[in-house]
Amino acid sequence: MPRARRGGSLEQELAAIPGMSRAELLQRWSAIYRRPPPKGISQRLLQLAIAYDLQAKAFGGLRTPTRNKLRQPLAELGAKPPLARARCPLSPGSRLVREWHGRTYSVEIVEGGYLYEGRRYRSLSEIARLITGARWSGPRFFQP
């Protein structure tokens, strides 16, 4: 059974969250957590955190053992770290193709580097930078 609420029912308070401005959400976060929110936090995460706080106050939050377990590092819990994505080896003669802003780009794998538009490059990142004008991870840009 939810506890009594000041300033309206839980349902009304939850329904009001999506209509709150970013400034209101930031102010509410600061009041709940007694510190400013992390830089760059999304509006959606602010909304979810505030909704969680309202519900935890109404229904009770996580039990102490659960909170303690969440604070433990994964290694202490015996959990294995997430597996790294398996890389497929690129052999000379392979071709990487990527569409970017409506144009198709093709890179050929050659011994000791990459061939793009008739010119040899040492890394995929150099090529990705030429194409996008920004610093990209070449393997990520061309990933299958």
Side-chain angles (χ1 to χ4, degrees):
M1 188 75 174
R3 300 177 196 148
R5 303 214 37 88
R6 291 180 295 191
S9 73
L10 175 63
E11 292 80 18
Q12 290 171 331
E13 289 187 60
L14 289 172
I17 292 172
M20 294 172 79
S21 70
R22 183 166 180 82
E24 291 171 315
L25 292 168
L26 293 170
Q27 182 179 13
R28 189 76 177 262
W29 172 288
S30 296
I32 293 168
Y33 298 102
R34 295 187 179 106
R35 71 182 95 153
K39 288 186 183 222
I41 190 170
S42 70
Q43 186 155 336
R44 181 70 179 137
L45 187 53
L46 288 166
Q47 292 169 341
L48 291 170
I50 292 165
Y52 172 80
D53 180 69
L54 289 171
Q55 293 173 78
K57 285 178 180 168
F59 299 107
L62 296 172
R63 294 176 43 214
T64 302
T66 305
R67 278 198 315 269
N68 291 340
K69 195 170 260 193
L70 288 171
R71 289 186 181 113
Q72 283 181 292
L74 285 177
E76 288 181 29
L77 297 174
K80 295 179 181 172
L83 294 175
R85 202 176 145 182
R87 293 185 180 208
C88 57
L90 300 173
S91 55
S94 298
R95 187 175 296 277
L96 302 171
V97 179
R98 167 71 194 258
E99 185 178 336
W100 177 259
H101 293 300
R103 184 173 166 208
T104 302
Y105 298 89
S106 179
V107 173
E108 185 179 343
I109 312 302
V110 294
E111 200 64 48
Y114 305 92
L115 195 61
Y116 170 66
E117 292 187 340
R119 192 166 165 215
R120 189 181 180 97
Y121 294 88
R122 290 183 302 168
S123 78
L124 283 174
S125 297
E126 288 180 85
I127 299 168
R129 194 172 308 120
L130 284 172
I131 293 170
T132 65
R135 290 192 170 273
W136 269 77
S137 159
R140 174 165 274 174
F141 182 78
F142 286 103
Q143 88 185 158

